[in-house]
Amino acid sequence: MRPAEALLSDLGISDPCDIDLRAIAHCVGVEVIFRNLAGCEAQIVGVKDRAIVFVSEDARHTRKRFSTGHELGHWHHHRGQSFVCRKEDIGRPVDNRSNNAERVADAYAADLILPPFMLRPRIALANLGSLELISEIATQFAASLTATALRFVKMTEQPVILMAHNLAGRKWQWASVAAGQLRVRDDIDSRSCAFSAAKAGHIQSARREPAHYWFDRRHIEQFDLKVQSVQTIEGELLTLIGIPDKRLVELYG
Ligand SMILES: [Zn+2]
């Protein structure tokens, strides 16, 4: 069990609605204060076994929770140091610099807000998953849709790929373990339902699409994919791609 999960377990918390971060922070000697912050999103000032965490009051509820969890991650892993965390330091889901202190704090936040031991039974039943189900889980855990979807992809045993395009056009993708080394194209094919989701602003129904909309591989058009997109409230286009026929992974993964 990872440190944040161990803390929840020690506190006897087993239901997502009981993950009250200010109360949990209090149990580890940390006071959390929401206030106006200039130049950063959150910060922690610690002395001996006590600390104060300041979190920007302007952020969305789910973001404030993640920032609080992030600072508690610094408290657990980097006690004795103070951190001033900018917006770009917190919640970068697929940054490869995994040893960086900010990513360590992010991982702690994700474990605290979306603890694997609570998610596992919900995800085990999900097959290829759907954005409706992920959205439902996100609401239960008061987490963002993006963080929850990424958690789903990291934990599921099914072959799926999650990709995101943000407002600046930058993108990332994450394949589940069962999807092996598969990577989809960076651009969105204009024939795909994901293309129109950019304007829709709501969860689209999942659709079957031929695999060559997403992969530049010979003869891959014999396979279909399950594709579903949503534009998140943060303005990011998220697309969940399920691979119903596992032979696609065997042949191309
Ligand atoms: Zn930080």
Side-chain angles (χ1 to χ4, degrees), residues 1-233:
M1 204 174 246
R2 296 192 284 229
E5 289 187 285
L7 174 61
L8 292 169
S9 178
D10 288 348
L11 295 173
I13 296 171
S14 58
D15 193 289
C17 67
D18 293 330
I19 306 176
D20 176 341
L21 294 187
R22 291 176 96 167
I24 291 168
H26 185 74
C27 293
V28 294
V30 178
E31 186 183 359
V32 179
I33 296 172
F34 297 131
R35 73 169 195 193
N36 189 24
L37 294 176
C40 71
E41 181 114 0
Q43 64 185 110
I44 181 164
V45 183
V47 179
K48 294 186 180 167
D49 60 348
R50 311 287 297 172
I52 299 179
V53 162
F54 297 103
V55 175
S56 171
E57 64 184 359
D58 296 331
R60 290 180 199 286
H61 177 61
T62 54
R63 179 69 179 176
K64 277 193 260 195
R65 276 173 69 76
F66 197 89
S67 296
T68 304
H70 176 101
E71 298 307 323
L72 291 175
H74 283 316
W75 184 236
H76 178 83
H77 288 288
H78 317 118
R79 196 163 297 198
Q81 301 174 49
S82 292
F83 285 83
V84 176
C85 305
R86 296 162 304 168
K87 194 171 183 179
E88 55 270 32
D89 292 327
I90 300 172
R92 293 173 59 161
V94 292
D95 196 313
N96 290 327
R97 294 169 298 158
S98 56
N99 291 327
N100 180 300
E102 301 304 340
R103 303 289 71 74
V104 172
D106 272 357
Y108 188 94
D111 285 344
L112 197 58
I113 293 164
L114 292 160
F117 77 94
M118 290 188 207
L119 278 169
R120 208 162 281 123
R122 291 166 166 84
I123 286 177
L125 302 171
N127 196 10
L128 289 174
S130 71
L131 290 175
E132 287 92 346
L133 173 85
I134 290 168
S135 173
E136 207 175 285
I137 295 174
T139 303
Q140 283 172 11
F141 286 80
S144 74
L145 188 59
T146 301
T148 310
L150 192 61
R151 201 62 152 170
F152 170 78
V153 172
K154 287 181 175 179
M155 289 183 66
T156 183
E157 293 175 2
Q158 303 297 322
V160 297
I161 298 173
L162 180 71
M163 71 180 309
H165 293 77
N166 67 14
L167 289 173
R170 284 192 305 263
K171 53 229 163 230
W172 52 261
Q173 57 179 290
W174 196 280
S176 67
V177 170
Q181 300 299 312
L182 276 179
R183 294 292 176 268
V184 293
R185 282 192 344 230
D186 282 337
D187 61 313
I188 298 177
D189 191 297
S190 60
R191 295 167 291 183
S192 168
C193 63
F195 195 78
S196 50
K199 301 160 216 149
H202 59 84
I203 298 178
Q204 283 196 329
S205 303
R207 293 199 206 167
R208 277 191 171 256
E209 292 187 352
H212 68 277
Y213 285 10
W214 292 94
F215 297 97
D216 283 325
R217 306 290 286 271
R218 281 167 66 88
H219 307 307
I220 204 164
E221 63 278 2
Q222 61 185 302
F223 294 103
D224 280 344
L225 304 174
K226 179 187 167 198
V227 179
Q228 192 173 23
S229 287
V230 64
Q231 182 149 6
T232 67
I233 50 171

Side-chain angles (χ1 to χ4, degrees), residues 234-252:
E234 291 85 10
E236 195 168 53
L237 178 69
L238 273 190
T239 304
L240 183 67
I241 299 170
I243 302 167
D245 188 339
K246 291 177 182 169
R247 285 179 306 149
L248 186 151
V249 182
E250 289 162 20
L251 287 168
Y252 299 97

